[in-house]
Amino acid sequence: MALTNNKNVLRWLDEMIALTKPAHVEWIDGSDEQLQKLRDEAISTGEMIKLNQEELPGCLYHRTRPNDVARVEDRTFICSIKKEDAGPTNNWCDPQEMHEKLHGMYDGVMKGRTMYVIPYCMGPIGSPFSKVGVEVTDSIYVVLNMDIMTRMGADAFKQLGDESNDFVRGLHSKADVDPEGRYIVHFPEENTICSINSAYGGNVLLGKKCFALRIASYQGKQEGWMAEHMLILGVENPQGEVKYITAAFPSACGKTNLAMLIPPEIYKEKGYKVWTVGDDIAWMRIGPDGRLWAINPENGFFGVAPGTNTKSNPNALATTRKGTIFTNVAINKDNMTVWWEGLDKNPPVNAIEWKGAEVNGKEYTAEGNKLAHPNSRFTAPAVNCPCLSKEFDSPNGVPVSAIVFGGRRAKTAPLVYQSRSWQHGVFVGSIMASETTAAATGAVGVVRRDPMAMLPFCGYHMGDYWKHWLEMGEKLGDKAPKIFNVNWFRTDDEGHFIWPGFGDNLRVLMWILDRCEGKADAVETPIGFEPKAEDINIEGLDITVDTIRDLLNVDKDLWREEAKGIHEFYTKFGDKLPKELQDELATLEANLK
Ligand code: GTP
Ligand code: SPV
Ligand code: MN
């Protein structure tokens, strides 16, 4: 039975049914009973594997095809009506042409299969920030993941109402999981997403990157708000006041880890606490008080498994101990628990590696083979998170004091610096560069420009996106958050990370918050304001002030090279490059003379 009377939804759904020709249509109301039936069915077909229900209650395992383990940027399209609206950083195709091509591929694709109709809400039900989507899919894995990642079910239709046409249409079919026929396509002007031939996270959980970033960034531009690839965290001081920071790092560069950090002992003792609001996406609006307010549109964490352990991120690990779906990690066959590289030093002997082969874990890892795929992930409910902010469900979100950019840079970027103004901050975001990771298919470890960590996620012309940032700054005026840049990934000559990172990153956040409150000094460098080395608290660490000084060093030769790279990058944007950013680049070059 239909869960809504909304004619716009029903009309679109009729079209999708006529196109894909499923044997059955099932509306997902989100009830426990329905979800349990789907879990049982997926277990019986082998799509999902039941894990040890005593150690990992409610947890399931899923393995994707080896050719389908990450986002596919070269097969991701922004099909705006005009090519120039997609800009030089997106793949573009004429919408008509793409619709025709996809039509042929979707025609009858669900024959003999069930179509699941998933209503979902991005953001808390009832929040003015929130937006509704409907995803139709032939994958139970998608239904079970969307249940964790979004507010899924009948309530989403209540949020939409019976008349509204403001919902994002998402059509997904795993089809034959054929990489040659894999397409992740967005029609921003039509509020529509089409995904085919994949069954992997970011390609198929259409509420996440496709809606909450690519479509939402376009909507934000139209409607005067921002959709960003950012974590949101709160730092509570001993007086109980909480200040919020958002941070944009590229995929697999530390957002989940920073969002859930555990304060170093010296801060814990004094009563500092860190609260997680979000680990991947922030939607931000100017509130009635003129400040910038952020919500996390998601309801769970789709986090990188490798490297997560009791030391690096105990909160994330705790979050995954129940009701979690693990994708492409390794299984310990003896007790049906999960394992990944960096969990501990004891790979299971009777391991099932991520592709499904039974291997001796110890020997296997010794060969340099990975038991878990480097982009293996957990899908875990936010409510499990021990440090979840009490503002997580707040309809108004949280006020943002600081915006932090960052990436993986072995040499150039210092540990932290502050922009001189919002405009300079937008420049700092626009010149972000980072070594690529396993989160997308393609080479790993190659430095590429990734402005605001949005290169794969901006649903329109990046030049217009920067203009939108500048306009938001004008509207915010002196209430604008301060903008910073961090780099946890500087390496020494042997390639080891110099900065301890993880929980100790709070030491850097403390300087950032002190700057926001006018309580810390800074020194001016060619690239912006930096802390005095003594102002980064190193109590309890076995590194010296001199190391901090090294980490803060701005190597002018490297930065002159960097400026050349920025020039080259900027030329792509032609006359869409805001003049303000051109001016900032000229200032940087002058400062480096
Ligand atoms: P997406 O979910 O892909 O958007 O990624 P993310 O930004 O949330 O990345 P995540 O926090 O999962 O970090 C991914 C990798 O970065 C893991 O291998 C971590 O161990 C590593 N990492 C995170 N924080 C730090 C840090 O402070 N220092 C170092 N050296 N590594 C870190
Ligand atoms: C990322 O790649 O930035 C992710 C994972 O957060 S995915 O949802 O697959 O995009
Ligand atoms: Mn991400």
Side-chain angles (χ1 to χ4, degrees), residues 120 122 168 193 205-217 219 225-229 281-283 297-298 454 457:
Y120 64 93
M122 299 310 288
V168 172
I193 304 156
L205 309 179
L206 301 185
K208 193 173 176 61
K209 301 298 166 120
C210 299
F211 176 175
L213 287 177
R214 297 195 191 97
I215 298 285
S217 62
Q219 293 176 330
W225 54 282
M226 306 165 95
E228 299 295 335
H229 192 200
I281 300 177
W283 284 1
E298 302 192 278
M454 284 289 278
F457 308 119

Side-chain angles (χ1 to χ4, degrees), residues 100-373:
E100 277 163 26
K101 178 190 196 111
L102 291 174
H103 199 279
M105 298 174 70
Y106 281 116
D107 192 1
V109 77
M110 293 193 194
K111 272 186 189 156
R113 298 182 184 179
T114 299
M115 169 191 278
Y116 302 98
V117 182
I118 309 174
Y120 64 93
C121 185
M122 299 310 288
I125 302 277
S127 162
F129 283 78
S130 297
K131 286 191 176 272
V132 171
V134 183
E135 175 167 358
V136 297
T137 178
D138 51 10
S139 159
I140 297 181
Y141 174 73
V142 168
V143 177
L144 298 178
N145 274 273
M146 288 293 280
D147 172 49
I148 298 171
M149 294 305 295
T150 72
R151 279 87 170 171
M152 181 184 88
D155 282 352
F157 280 135
K158 283 195 203 133
Q159 172 90 10
L160 182 65
D162 275 352
E163 306 295 330
S164 174
N165 196 23
D166 185 11
F167 68 98
V168 172
R169 296 141 170 81
L171 169 59
H172 167 249
S173 174
K174 57 192 172 189
D176 305 317
V177 204
D178 171 11
E180 299 303 320
R182 190 165 296 155
Y183 285 92
I184 318 298
V185 183
H186 308 72
F187 302 92
E189 288 113 336
E190 299 169 38
N191 257 352
T192 297
I193 304 156
C194 295
S195 164
I196 189 161
N197 275 307
S198 174
Y200 176 79
N203 298 331
V204 301
L205 309 179
L206 301 185
K208 193 173 176 61
K209 301 298 166 120
C210 299
F211 176 175
L213 287 177
R214 297 195 191 97
I215 298 285
S217 62
Y218 172 78
Q219 293 176 330
K221 167 80 173 167
Q222 309 294 312
E223 299 165 10
W225 54 282
M226 306 165 95
E228 299 295 335
H229 192 200
M230 289 179 176
L231 68 93
I232 311 167
L233 67 77
V235 179
E236 180 176 336
N237 70 15
Q239 292 75 50
E241 297 156 349
V242 187
K243 297 271 190 260
Y244 295 92
I245 296 175
T246 64
F249 308 154
S251 302
C253 290
K255 289 184 299 302
T256 306
N257 278 273
L258 192 69
M260 298 184 187
L261 79 79
I262 293 200
E265 216 44 57
I266 53 147
Y267 286 104
K268 229 195 273 177
E269 275 166 10
K270 290 189 190 127
Y272 285 92
K273 295 184 181 125
V274 170
W275 302 107
T276 308
V277 181
D279 81 326
D280 198 47
I281 300 177
W283 284 1
M284 303 191 287
R285 283 176 191 270
I286 300 176
D289 63 357
R291 289 189 293 172
L292 191 64
W293 291 71
I295 65 154
N296 171 10
E298 302 192 278
N299 203 25
F301 307 114
F302 186 60
V304 178
T308 307
N309 61 51
T310 50
K311 284 226 174 65
S312 66
N313 196 345
N315 284 322
L317 199 60
T319 305
T320 65
R321 296 299 94 176
K322 60 179 185 214
T324 293
I325 297 171
F326 294 92
T327 302
N328 294 340
V329 301
I331 293 179
N332 180 344
K333 208 179 160 222
D334 290 337
N335 61 2
M336 291 308 282
T337 56
V338 286
W339 192 86
W340 47 77
E341 277 68 24
L343 175 67
D344 55 40
K345 296 208 165 77
N346 306 306
V349 177
N350 289 317
I352 309 176
E353 49 86 93
W354 69 272
K355 293 191 287 311
E358 293 188 20
V359 292
N360 180 309
K362 288 211 161 79
E363 286 167 19
Y364 202 75
T365 43
E367 286 164 17
N369 286 322
K370 305 269 191 237
L371 285 178
H373 187 275

